[in-house]
Amino acid sequence: MKVDEEGFYNKLLDYHNILYLCHRNADPDAVSSAFALSEAIGGKVGLVDGCNRVASLLVDKLEIDVVENPNPEAYDLTVVVDTSTIAQLNDIELCHYGVIDHHATTALTENAAFYLHRNKTSVAEIVYDVLKCMGAPIMNRTAVGLMTGIVTDTGHFKHATSDTFRTFSNIIESSGVEYAEVLELMASTPQDVSMRIAMLKTANRAEIERVESWLVATSHVSSFGGSASSMLINIGADVAFVGTLKENSIRVSGRAKRDAVNAGVNLGQIMEDVSADYNGTGGGHAGAAGIDVVADMEEILWACKQKVIEVLRNKTNPSSL
């Protein structure tokens, strides 16, 4: 059942023992959103498979009490936060659950008891609207978390909308937290040598295909695929795909510049389409998405790249449609 912000809040009031469950390698948007809800309504923040570097720093700085590898059966309700597929939860068995999410496609809503979905640039913005609907005060720790979630999920506002800036401004005004505080927290995130090596290997292995003035890059690395694909965008690619080997499966992280998205590239849809061909899971946003499949690395990278090239060629040569 789809609900609005007030309906979501009222549903949560029916439960006493709530788990706010984040996707694997949880990012600041997921962690901060789960934390904000747990602070305002009560409950526990759950991590199925750790969190990324910035989110880990956020957990430490804000002293967030998290439960590692929680069992949903131990709770009256599980609220799945910022997650579009069960694969992102390592196929954990969900019992009675709700969903709060912002991804273009969210398969988990089908069997949810209730869900709140908005086309926002981050879940943190949706959570802020829930808190506002409740009349809950935006405390310092909550504000720092939500602001960090918004900044990171929008790529430092690269994918922000007017609504994004409006919500961010409202959080500052209602909490008194300064933007500089969030930037300082993020700047203190250490970059270990293994990540730097991964970025260099990604760039060295990159294969580039040109479609008129568009550049589509593919590469592979053993870890940090998301950061590596963003790095390829930062150094010149319009669209980038980076594959990583995860035990017996392949993970491909995709990123696209705003101009490519405006030209019709929708990575979330592309990843969903490719995953369907290989019985995998995939999805995300137009400018940032991922896929998990059991297949050959080069084959999957090629399939993702070809779908982007098709879009860009049709944009460049509309007569070919």
Side-chain angles (χ1 to χ4, degrees), residues 28-45:
D29 187 34
V31 171
S32 67
S33 296
F35 171 62
L37 290 170
S38 69
E39 285 287 284
I41 301 169
K44 292 289 187 179
V45 177

Side-chain angles (χ1 to χ4, degrees), residues 104-105 216 239-241 252 254-256 260-261 264-278 281-291 293 300-312:
T105 55
V216 182
V239 182
F241 295 103
V252 174
R255 299 292 185 271
V261 172
V265 173
N266 186 328
L267 294 181
Q269 189 61 57
I270 286 172
M271 294 300 201
E272 186 176 349
D273 292 344
V274 172
S275 69
D277 293 336
Y278 293 87
T281 59
H285 311 292
I291 187 174
V293 293
I300 292 299
L301 286 172
W302 182 87
C304 293
K305 179 180 68 174
Q306 288 306 119
K307 285 191 175 292
V308 168
I309 289 174
E310 180 181 353
V311 171
L312 295 177

Side-chain angles (χ1 to χ4, degrees), residues 19 21 45-50 66-72 75 90 92:
L19 172 68
L21 190 62
V45 177
L47 302 177
V48 296
D49 193 4
V66 300
V67 179
E68 299 279 355
N69 302 311
N71 178 10
Y75 299 85
N90 287 350
I92 191 171

Side-chain angles (χ1 to χ4, degrees), residues 14 19 41 61 85 102 137 159 198 233 240 248-249 261 274 281 294 299 302 308 312:
D14 293 336
L19 172 68
I41 301 169
K61 292 286 185 180
T85 67
H102 70 131
H159 305 291
I233 294 296
N248 297 320
S249 65
V261 172
V274 172
T281 59
V294 177
E299 184 178 346
W302 182 87
V308 168
L312 295 177

Side-chain angles (χ1 to χ4, degrees), residues 151-208:
V151 171
T152 53
D153 237 43
T154 60
H156 289 254
F157 298 113
K158 290 178 185 175
H159 305 291
T161 66
S162 58
D163 282 342
T164 308
F165 287 109
R166 191 174 298 112
T167 298
F168 199 83
S169 175
N170 288 338
I171 295 174
I172 292 174
E173 290 180 1
S174 59
S175 68
V177 172
E178 296 182 0
Y179 180 35
E181 186 174 343
V182 174
L183 292 180
E184 288 172 5
L185 182 149
M186 294 172 62
S188 64
T189 307
Q191 277 201 0
D192 57 31
V193 66
S194 60
M195 181 177 182
R196 290 156 53 198
I197 290 173
M199 298 304 105
L200 292 170
K201 285 184 176 179
T202 301
N204 184 55
R205 296 167 179 166
E207 296 183 2
I208 301 168

